[in-house]
Amino acid sequence: MSYDDIILRVLAEAGENGLSIKKIARHVFNESNTFFHQVAFDEVHHDVQRFLMRQAQKANPMVEHMKTRGMYRLNPHSPESRQLMLQFSDEEPEEQPKPAEDQSLWLF
């Protein structure tokens, strides 16, 4: 999964309150950092910041900058972000299979 997908999913989960760049970068870092593929937090933070700033400067941005410095959220007026919110809200968590009940007879 690319950083872009993770960022958009995190912003969709955050809702209208949005998140700061640092918190978004922390989510991306935690999700993309593995035992065999380690990434520095500064690199992730820089990539997240660049992505958010680039997206917010478009004509009809999917991600918008909020009034508070360093805070971003999905633009509720953008058709792409509305579709993205619907996609994430339609996903249901996978159900864990229930263990089979022991229906054997007791001997005593």
Side-chain angles (χ1 to χ4, degrees):
M1 187 179 283
S2 69
Y3 288 172
D4 303 351
D5 297 335
I6 299 171
I7 293 169
L8 294 175
R9 186 176 43 78
V10 167
L11 286 173
E13 290 174 3
E16 294 202 14
N17 296 331
L19 283 175
S20 67
I21 295 174
K22 186 174 183 178
K23 287 186 181 183
I24 297 169
R26 180 63 60 188
H27 282 281
V28 173
F29 174 77
N30 288 338
E31 195 161 324
S32 61
N33 206 14
T34 64
F35 184 71
F36 296 107
H37 180 66
Q38 296 182 355
V39 210
F41 179 73
D42 294 335
E43 292 175 21
V44 173
H45 186 276
H46 181 68
D47 291 344
V48 168
Q49 186 176 19
R50 263 195 352 222
F51 173 79
L52 291 173
M53 290 174 70
R54 193 171 3 128
Q55 290 295 320
Q57 291 176 351
K58 290 184 176 180
N60 189 10
M62 185 173 10
V63 177
E64 70 178 354
H65 187 269
M66 297 176 64
K67 292 180 182 178
T68 309
R69 182 174 179 253
M71 297 285 288
Y72 288 88
R73 70 175 179 180
L74 287 179
N75 184 357
H77 306 295
S78 169
E80 293 101 12
S81 64
R82 277 191 251 143
Q83 180 65 32
L84 188 66
M85 295 288 267
L86 288 175
Q87 286 176 349
F88 285 126
S89 65
D90 288 345
E91 291 179 2
E92 295 180 9
E94 296 178 15
E95 291 185 25
Q96 298 293 331
K98 295 180 182 178
E101 293 181 27
D102 185 19
Q103 297 180 352
S104 61
L105 299 174
W106 287 86
L107 295 177
F108 300 102

